[in-house]
Amino acid sequence: MSATFISSLNFAGRQIVIYGGIFVFIVGILGGLFNTIVFLSLRTFRQSSCAFYLTIMSIMNIVQLLTTTLSRIISNVYNNDGTDASLFYCKFRFYLPVVCIIISLTCFCLATFDQYCATSSRLYLQQLCNIKLARRLVMIFSLIWILHGVPFLILFEHVSSPITGKITCTLTNVIYMQYRAYVIFLLFFSLLPLLVGTIFGSMAYYNTQQLAHYTLPLIRRELDKQLTTMVLVQVAVSFFVLLPYCIVYILTLNTSLNSDPIVKAEIQLSSNITVIIYYLYFAVNIDL
């Protein structure tokens, strides 16, 4: 009975990943392309530092959907992610998504901070909102995250099972496994963006309520309001998609819960559901 129940949960989890992933993938690719075109085609957005952050975020989201989401769909359809066939793909399959996800989340954090500064009454904060600084910050952070992900290219290896002989793509360093689990996945992928987005998004919202009292040009006020609205919607979306992933991921790290096969299968099903919800962050593109 328990074996049948566990098998049913595993089957349900795969179907959720396949069909939910297909929906997220299609919507995300189309929305990301549309978002990028809009930001690059309108001059008012091309000169805005916040719009620049959102443009880079949209591009990274598209790459993430093409790598992680599509790969997860295919691996659940064929029950094989293809990493056993090529060592290069084994390494690159885990390296590129991590870099894209962190760059996307960094741009999201920078966009919320940028709008807090843009809507502030303090002149020195407003001066931080310029396209040159935005380009430099994106280049610096991108370089940091590209180098930060290099251990993925080094430590992921093909490991052959002594019993079945099956080859799997696995991290070979125990310390880095812990760093990946607690720092990259838990902190960088969820907790930190949630904290930064919520804090600066809330302060930006408060600032927009005071814009009418600032001696700013009308066009500047309206642009700031529009961009702030876009950022705040993204903050709300991020909160509702990142938080469930964070909670369930913490449960997966609890080894005592995973000792029970049924509980482990239930957590795995929850993990599949929250991963698809997490991918919505990369699929939801706000254009107002």
Side-chain angles (χ1 to χ4, degrees):
M1 180 65 182
S2 61
T4 303
F5 181 64
I6 291 173
S7 178
S8 299
L9 291 178
N10 292 336
F11 176 78
R14 288 195 299 271
Q15 299 309 302
I16 289 171
V17 171
I18 293 170
Y19 293 105
I22 290 173
F23 171 78
V24 169
F25 178 77
I26 294 174
V27 172
I29 293 296
L30 294 177
L33 289 174
F34 178 75
N35 219 37
T36 304
I37 292 171
V38 169
F39 281 131
L40 293 178
S41 60
L42 299 179
R43 183 176 178 180
T44 53
F45 284 137
R46 290 202 306 269
Q47 295 175 340
S48 167
S49 52
C50 180
F52 177 74
Y53 294 132
L54 295 177
T55 303
I56 300 300
M57 186 181 78
S58 296
I59 294 172
M60 291 298 104
N61 290 349
I62 292 172
V63 177
Q64 192 279 338
L65 290 169
L66 288 171
T67 53
T68 305
T69 308
L70 184 59
S71 175
R72 187 176 285 266
I73 294 169
I74 293 174
S75 66
N76 277 271
V77 171
Y78 296 102
N79 201 27
N80 190 328
D81 61 5
T83 55
D84 58 333
S86 168
L87 182 59
F88 172 79
Y89 181 66
C90 161
K91 295 174 179 290
F92 202 69
R93 159 71 176 80
F94 292 97
Y95 168 77
L96 184 60
V98 167
V99 173
C100 291
I101 290 172
I102 298 184
I103 291 177
S104 172
L105 291 170
T106 300
C107 288
F108 163 67
C109 293
L110 288 172
T112 56
F113 177 72
D114 183 271
Q115 280 311 105
Y116 160 67
C117 294
T119 56
S120 173
S121 60
R122 299 177 178 86
L123 182 59
Y124 72 92
L125 288 177
Q126 294 177 22
Q127 291 174 343
L128 295 176
C129 304
N130 65 82
I131 192 66
K132 289 184 178 179
L133 178 60
R135 288 170 179 165
R136 289 171 185 169
L137 287 176
V138 169
M139 289 180 62
I140 291 171
F141 277 111
S142 296
L143 180 60
I144 290 173
W145 296 131
I146 288 171
L147 295 176
H148 172 266
V150 167
F152 279 80
L153 298 175
I154 300 172
L155 300 177
F156 267 97
E157 295 287 350
H158 276 163
V159 177
S160 178
S161 171
I163 300 175
T164 63
K166 183 179 180 180
I167 297 176
T168 56
C169 183
T170 310
L171 266 177
T172 56
N173 186 288
V174 177
I175 296 176
Y176 197 75
M177 285 182 186
Q178 299 298 313
Y179 177 80
R180 176 175 178 250
Y182 291 98
V183 178
I184 296 179
F185 282 5
L186 190 57
L187 182 63
F188 291 161
F189 281 13
S190 53
L191 290 179
L192 196 56
L194 275 173
L195 183 63
V196 174
T198 302
I199 291 174
F200 289 108
S202 301
M203 292 193 292
Y205 175 77
Y206 173 79
N207 287 343
T208 56
Q209 308 307 304
Q210 314 301 317
L211 279 178
H213 305 294
Y214 300 161
T215 56
L216 294 174
L218 180 60
I219 296 178
R220 169 71 182 278
R221 290 202 302 267
E222 292 304 316
L223 179 61
D224 285 336
K225 285 183 178 180
Q226 184 180 20
L227 286 171
T228 303
T229 302
M230 295 169 67
V231 169
L232 289 177
V233 173
Q234 191 69 44
V235 168
V237 170
S238 300
F239 181 83
F240 287 107
V241 301
L242 298 184
L243 187 59
Y245 167 83
C246 180
I247 294 172
V248 174
Y249 186 74
I250 291 174
L251 293 177
T252 63
L253 296 176
N254 190 329
T255 55
S256 62
L257 291 176
N258 291 312
S259 60
D260 186 322
I262 295 180
V263 175
K264 182 179 180 180
E266 291 173 342
I267 292 177
Q268 183 59 48
L269 175 61
S270 301
S271 178
N272 287 334
I273 295 172
T274 54
V275 162
I276 294 301
I277 294 174
Y278 183 85
Y279 289 163
L280 285 173
Y281 162 82
F282 306 99
V284 176
N285 297 277
I286 309 300
D287 259 322
L288 298 175

